[in-house]
Each structure stands twice: as C-alpha cells, then as structure tokens.
Amino acid sequence: MPNEIAEQDFQGAAQAQATDAEIGARIRSLRRAKGLRLTEVAAQTGLSIGYLSQVERGISSPSLRVLTTIAAPLGITYAELFRTGAVDTASDSIVVRRAERGSLGLRGTGMEKQLLSPPGGSRLNLYEVVLQPGGASGEDLYVHGGEEAGLILEGEMELTVEDRTWRLQTGDSFRFASGRPHRFRNPGAVTARVLWVNVSEPV
C-alpha cells in the first residue's frame, strides 16, 4: 500500500509539472503573438520579469490570481489557457463531450477547474471546480473583470468577497461582480464540486 500511494503521488506531481509547462508555453505563445516583451507584461501586471519567465518555462505554478492578472494584457480570459481535448468540430462549438473538457490543475492548491463550455473566445464560460479538502484559490484575494455565479454540487465551500465570508453547503449558490476582491476554499473533510459560471468583460 505505501508503494502504491508513493506511485500515485509521483504520477500526480509529474502531471502537475506537465500542466505547468503547458500553461507556460501557452502564455509565452500568446505573449509573442501580441508582440509583447516580458518587460511590458511585467509593467502592466506588477509581476516581476523573473517570475513571469519562470511561469512561461513551467518552473513556477501560477495561482488563479496570477493567471487572471497575466490574461489581461494578453487580451484573453484565462479560459483560453486551458488544456483541451480533441474538440468535435462537427458540433459547431456547441457541445462539449466529457472527454473533450479543457482542464486546469493548479499545483499545490488542491484545486482543478474543468472547462465545460466550448473553447473559443466566448465571454460566457461554464466550469466544474473540484476542491480537495483544504483546496483553495490561494491566500490572497484577487480581482478580474466580469461577473460570476455558482452552485455547490457536493461538499462545502467557504467564499470570501471583500470583508465578508460565507460557508456554503450543497445546494447553496452565489453571484458577485468579479471586480470585488474574492477568494474561496474547501474547509470540509470531503471533496467539493462547484458548478461555476464566469462572464468576462468585453476585451
């Protein structure tokens, strides 16, 4: 049993590192396509050039706050950073099969986001957020453009918006403007699943 657990941990760490590398490569590709230097992105985001370079090389694992911050000067929503499967083009970007879901697992956060809506530049995006016990968006409150809402499908979630905190149970729901500082975490002992909607501002 200990060997099996160690093997699972190793596989999980390897997958997380591969995801970081994919996200970093995607960010670098988008930055270059926009004709932006790292110095320009650093100036617009307040993040250091060294840290941005580490993110692009897959050395550092970015938080949700960092991803949303980097997405702004690139002119995208962070939904466009998700890894996606082979999308069925015959569906005209209307249907997403389970195997086609884009996914974004953030190393060390205990959280995974799956993109349930078709990729491709829409301002409306639907996610399933899976939070392991103790999993969180991060210690820091963060902001981005748009509006969001959600429904707790399983487990519980603690949501903080500005100076107020709510402990939400299965069946509870929420909505708030994304420009209000916020964060969330799973304070429970079981995995939480949240259906989450983001509507971004026009780019």
Side-chain angles (χ1 to χ4, degrees):
M1 182 68 71
N3 288 338
E4 291 179 5
I5 294 174
E7 178 65 21
Q8 290 174 356
D9 289 344
F10 175 79
Q11 291 176 352
Q15 183 176 3
Q17 289 174 350
T19 299
D20 288 344
E22 286 185 36
I23 293 171
R26 177 72 171 144
I27 290 172
R28 183 171 59 248
S29 175
L30 289 166
R31 175 178 62 78
R32 289 176 174 173
K34 292 281 288 187
L36 293 172
R37 298 187 182 92
L38 277 176
T39 52
E40 294 173 296
V41 177
Q44 293 183 52
T45 61
L47 301 169
S48 73
I49 296 172
Y51 177 69
L52 287 170
S53 176
Q54 289 180 345
V55 169
E56 288 193 356
R57 288 180 289 150
I59 297 173
S60 291
S61 184
S63 66
L64 278 181
R65 181 185 68 82
V66 168
L67 287 179
T68 54
T69 300
I70 292 175
L74 300 180
I76 62 169
T77 66
Y78 73 92
E80 295 175 66
L81 299 175
F82 278 54
R83 180 177 68 252
T84 57
V87 177
D88 178 11
T89 55
S91 66
D92 194 27
S93 298
I94 293 175
V95 173
V96 176
R97 304 294 184 185
R98 177 180 289 271
E100 297 171 356
R101 291 181 182 178
S103 64
L104 184 63
L106 302 178
R107 186 174 13 154
T109 65
M111 176 181 63
E112 179 184 11
K113 295 189 79 169
Q114 294 188 358
L115 181 61
L116 306 182
S117 48
S122 173
R123 292 177 51 220
L124 172 65
N125 286 293
L126 180 65
Y127 305 91
E128 181 178 352
V129 176
V130 180
L131 289 164
Q132 301 300 324
S137 61
E139 290 298 319
D140 297 327
L141 298 170
Y142 69 104
V143 299
H144 52 97
E147 191 172 9
E148 51 202 282
L151 170 68
I152 314 302
L153 300 174
E154 293 179 5
E156 56 185 318
M157 186 185 79
E158 184 179 274
L159 173 66
T160 298
V161 180
E162 296 177 341
D163 59 352
R164 297 189 62 187
T165 298
W166 297 264
R167 191 157 180 163
L168 306 176
Q169 309 290 333
T170 301
D172 292 342
S173 54
F174 59 89
R175 183 188 69 187
F176 60 92
S178 305
R180 301 174 68 181
H182 59 280
R183 67 184 176 202
F184 56 90
R185 72 182 187 96
N186 177 3
V190 299
T191 299
R193 294 173 55 245
V194 184
L195 185 65
W196 207 298
V197 179
N198 281 105
V199 180
S200 61
E201 294 179 333
V203 176

